[in-house]
Amino acid sequence: KGRATILSALDALVAGEMLAGENAYQLDSGAKVEAQKRVCVSELPSTLVLQLKRFELDYESLRHAKLNSECAFPTSLDMMPYTTRGASARAAGRPLDEAAWYELVGVVVHSGTAMYGHYYAYVRTADVWLAFNDQAVTPFDPARIPGECFGGSRPIPGASSVSAME
């Protein structure tokens, strides 16, 4: 939530937060100590799947809400900076001497609200992108990924006065 790109979200996870004061980390002994809390990937998989948390509970209305803010992502992603080894190198001021590149091969999109909606996917097979939408499989131009997959609001095709949030 609140991150305009996948890269800024990954950077925030690796940067972490300081646990101090009343929020300090509590040891088994009961003593509290300042600590840095962060999330790093210890081992990279052969296939990487990233899932955005786009639903949350609105504590004022006690209803589920969908996050509609835009979140851009690259078609190529080096995950090495987000590993334990990469975070350690960054903290020590050392350059990373290796990379772990992943290429985008698919995107699943949700149109609708937190309570109802529709899922469809864009998938790359060899050098051809296809749109999978229920029983229809059609060619897809990957240049349309930002407009179709980064989020935001737009009308649902065939629906009246309902917005789709992706």
Side-chain angles (χ1 to χ4, degrees), residues 18-160:
M18 284 303 296
L19 303 178
E22 287 187 25
N23 194 34
Y25 181 77
Q26 186 169 351
L27 301 172
D28 290 340
S29 66
K32 288 193 168 193
V33 295
E34 287 189 1
Q36 182 179 18
K37 173 185 166 186
R38 67 176 169 197
V39 176
C40 298
V41 179
S42 60
E43 186 175 330
L44 290 168
S46 58
T47 301
L48 178 69
V49 177
L50 298 177
Q51 180 177 346
L52 303 183
K53 182 181 175 192
R54 301 291 268 178
F55 302 96
E56 68 180 7
L57 180 62
D58 179 340
Y59 289 103
E60 290 182 20
S61 67
L62 294 178
R63 293 179 177 226
H64 293 283
K66 183 168 179 189
L67 302 175
N68 300 314
S69 56
E70 182 172 320
C71 187
F73 50 85
T75 57
S76 296
L77 174 62
D78 178 11
M79 282 297 293
M80 190 55 68
Y82 311 108
T83 63
T84 306
R85 189 170 48 234
S88 296
R90 183 187 301 187
R94 293 189 321 265
L96 286 172
D97 56 357
E98 58 185 312
W101 287 99
Y102 290 85
E103 296 296 320
L104 183 68
V105 295
V107 181
V108 176
V109 179
H110 177 266
S111 289
T113 69
M115 300 311 292
Y116 73 91
H118 176 70
Y119 286 96
Y120 51 97
Y122 301 110
V123 178
R124 182 180 60 147
T125 60
D127 290 330
V128 177
W129 279 85
L130 300 171
F132 290 78
N133 193 346
D134 291 337
Q135 297 174 357
V137 177
T138 57
F140 177 72
D141 180 359
R144 293 178 41 206
I145 287 175
E148 299 289 329
C149 304
F150 286 179
S153 298
R154 63 181 82 17
I156 297 174
S160 59

